Amino acid sequence: MLQSALFTKALRDDPKDALSANARLLERAGFVHKNSAGVYSYLPLGLRVLKKISAIVREEMDGIGGQELLLPALLDRKYLDATGRFAVDVGYDVRGKKDDAVQYVLGWTHEEVLTDIATRFVSSYRDLPFSAYQIQTKFRNEPRAKSGVLRGREFIMKDLYSFHASQEDFDRFYLLAKEAYLRVFRRCGLDALYVAAGGGAFTASVTHEFQVVSPVGEDEIFVCSKCSHAENSEISKLVDGSACPACGGAVVKKTAIEVGNIFPLGTKYSEALDLRFADENGERKHVVMGSYGIGISRLMGAVTEVHHAEQGLAWPLSIAPFRVHLLDFTREGTRAKAAYDALSSAGIEVLWDDRDVSPGEKFASADLMGLPFRAVVSEKTGDMVELAKRGERAGKLMSVSDAAGELNHGI
Ligand code: ATP
Ligand code: MG
């Protein structure tokens, strides 16, 4: 893409009241726009990142048999009434202008809706197990929406729900989901810890979270420095320096960002919505369920918090909006055009800074946007390009086709 065609521009100054790196850098670099507290627009660059994260999540969810669907965002209150969750205070009530009473809630979670749909299709043990997921906007009236895209009042979540005939079958799937989650975070460039956590009012007593250590995180966890065993302070009896219950190593207190979680739900929702199946002996039993969330937009924020420098973003290759930033310092632009065409036809996503601005400004915008590679075409490079990894001052001079090879292999 030509940078001159991008309708968003990097802002010269940090946005006001942006306390966290993600709020500051994503907005300055033109990836997001804050509309109001906790409500963000994802601009073309930001949307490219979200799509890449979503593609990784889809691959991993499809890989464990998840079937993608799309549930309504406007939830009739009857669903939440069925479990007593209409009263939960994160909900936004919706009332039409002409209506007297609240008929809907903006979807903040979807266990009830999907459980109700499942009652149509599940009658026998042969219909189980299955799992289904969606990537959708959720709405929550968060009181402290102040850490950029980490905590939105409107945010994008992947939520998967699984349905099983027995606890054993659920346990099997829970481990599959855990492994798939760890792969998602690793592929997005994050080291996420698997952390035992509390269940909250509507779930089982032990659930698991995926936490990324970061000073801006809102969670406190205790992590063993030897074996990585970790517990959320909400449920943990550990203190800083305790012996790890798993291996005896020293436990350290850290702050972290919750990027995902997995919940055993037992039969809580299948009982409330009467989702039953006939087992091999014809006995009618409640379906055993689980729910599994990943904050897609929060993940983008978490990657920003973990990977950035003072002067800008630093995208992992897997989710960068473009792979290489082509900086053109020549007057005529024909060699840059040739490099752009050659790299693009080799399947590489190139952002070509063809703007009529100074080299200093081009370098600054490349540092701010944080693409994994920079390719410079200047009077000095001749027919070659100077390819550098983000953060490297000097690059390597090479032919455009060698650069294409290096970029395709990610070096
Ligand atoms: P938190 O404790 O951070 O409020 P939660 O326990 O409410 O999270 P879930 O309801 O299980 O989280 O949501 C699944 C995932 O969605 C979370 O692990 C997190 O990554 C993401 N998420 C939850 N709330 C928000 C929010 N307000 N903004 C952005 N992402 C969110
Ligand atoms: Mg919450």
Side-chain angles (χ1 to χ4, degrees):
M1 178 175 200
L2 271 58
Q3 199 166 332
S4 62
L6 202 59
F7 89 89
T8 59
K9 314 263 183 289
L11 308 176
R12 237 168 244 288
D13 302 309
D14 285 340
K16 279 198 241 70
D17 67 28
L19 302 174
S20 49
N22 85 84
R24 183 169 68 84
L25 295 173
L26 290 174
E27 182 138 11
R28 242 191 92 185
F31 284 63
V32 304
H33 172 81
K34 181 175 165 182
N35 298 90
S36 58
V39 181
Y40 279 86
S41 296
Y42 294 91
L43 302 175
L45 292 169
L47 185 60
R48 290 179 79 101
V49 176
L50 289 182
K51 282 184 170 172
K52 294 204 169 168
I53 295 173
S54 301
I56 291 173
V57 169
R58 282 195 174 95
E59 265 181 43
E60 295 296 345
M61 295 302 103
D62 292 349
I64 56 170
Q67 299 172 47
E68 188 171 3
L69 46 59
L70 189 58
L71 299 168
L74 205 53
L75 301 190
D76 194 296
R77 63 170 289 176
K78 70 180 178 187
Y79 292 112
L80 297 173
D81 279 336
T83 53
R85 293 211 285 184
F86 178 67
V88 173
D89 59 8
V90 295
Y92 282 104
D93 292 350
V94 178
R95 184 172 61 83
K97 283 204 189 301
K98 290 178 288 183
D99 302 337
D100 295 328
V102 170
Q103 185 61 37
Y104 300 100
V105 171
L106 289 180
W108 56 273
T109 188
H110 283 79
E111 282 83 0
E112 290 88 345
V113 178
L114 188 56
T115 307
D116 186 58
I117 292 173
T119 60
R120 266 197 140 176
F121 302 109
V122 173
S123 55
S124 136
Y125 68 93
R126 289 187 207 89
D127 302 323
L128 297 168
F130 73 93
S131 61
Y133 73 95
Q134 61 173 346
I135 293 179
Q136 193 207 35
T137 299
K138 296 269 190 284
F139 302 88
R140 294 186 184 181
N141 194 356
E142 300 280 2
R144 292 168 293 120
K146 59 170 173 52
S147 329
V149 298
L150 293 179
R151 185 170 295 284
R153 296 201 167 118
E154 174 177 326
F155 61 97
I156 301 164
M157 193 202 284
K158 184 285 301 176
D159 44 330
L160 179 141
Y161 306 91
S162 73
F163 300 80
H164 309 268
S166 66
Q167 188 62 37
E168 294 69 55
D169 190 59
F170 167 79
D171 292 342
R172 170 196 64 81
F173 185 81
Y174 197 72
L175 284 182
L176 280 185
K178 169 192 169 182
E179 294 304 326
Y181 267 46
L182 290 172
R183 283 194 296 274
V184 164
F185 301 124
R186 215 176 298 130
R187 289 179 64 184
C188 291
L190 293 175
D191 279 328
L193 293 160
Y194 184 63
V195 182
F202 297 98
T203 49
S205 55
V206 176
T207 68
H208 291 90
E209 296 169 344
F210 297 81
Q211 297 272 4
V212 173
V213 170
S214 160
V216 302
E218 292 183 24
D219 285 57
E220 267 188 357
I221 59 172
F222 292 107
V223 189
C224 173
S225 36
K226 230 163 132 190
C227 74
S228 297
H229 172 86
E231 299 180 8
N232 192 308
S233 64
E234 279 173 6
I235 58 150
S236 183
K237 294 187 180 65
L238 301 172
V239 294
D240 208 28
S242 290
C244 168
C247 78
V251 157
V252 183
K253 184 164 112 180
K254 299 200 165 151
T255 53
I257 303 167
E258 178 193 319
V259 284
N261 58 27
I262 56 179
F263 286 73
L265 298 174
T267 54
K268 165 102 195 158
Y269 294 88
S270 54
E271 284 179 38
L273 291 134
D274 199 27
L275 172 61
R276 286 187 285 172
F277 68 98
D279 73 5
E280 285 93 332
N281 307 315
E283 197 187 325
R284 302 249 299 148
K285 289 181 170 162
H286 286 111
V287 172
V288 177
M289 292 172 52
S291 87
Y292 314 76
I294 291 181
I296 301 282
S297 44
R298 181 180 287 184
L299 200 47
M300 171 168 159
V303 169
T304 306
E305 293 296 337
V306 172
H307 302 287
H308 70 269
E310 183 48 36
Q311 66 276 31
L313 299 160
W315 294 108
L317 215 51
S318 55
I319 63 167
F322 295 91
R323 189 163 275 230
V324 61
H325 212 148
L326 177 64
L327 307 189
D328 178 14
F329 297 144
T330 63
R331 274 190 192 285
E332 21 66 46
T334 50
R335 279 184 291 122
K337 167 94 174 69
Y340 177 73
D341 289 345
L343 294 175
S344 301
S345 49
I348 295 157
E349 292 168 302
V350 186
L351 181 65
W352 172 15
D353 193 346
D354 61 329
R355 296 171 307 154
D356 190 14
V357 297
S358 71
E361 206 166 317
K362 288 189 180 180
F363 274 121
S365 111
D367 285 345
L368 179 60
M369 285 186 187
L371 302 185
F373 292 96
R374 185 186 70 212
V376 169
V377 174
S378 69
E379 303 305 342
K380 281 190 300 192
T381 61
D383 285 337
M384 319 265 264
V385 294
E386 193 185 315
L387 189 69
K389 282 190 188 176
R390 199 206 69 86
E392 284 176 359
R393 275 195 161 270
K396 281 190 284 181
L397 199 61
M398 62 182 81
S399 70
V400 175
S401 66
D402 285 351
E406 297 241 353
L407 286 165
N408 263 332
H409 289 103
I411 303 189

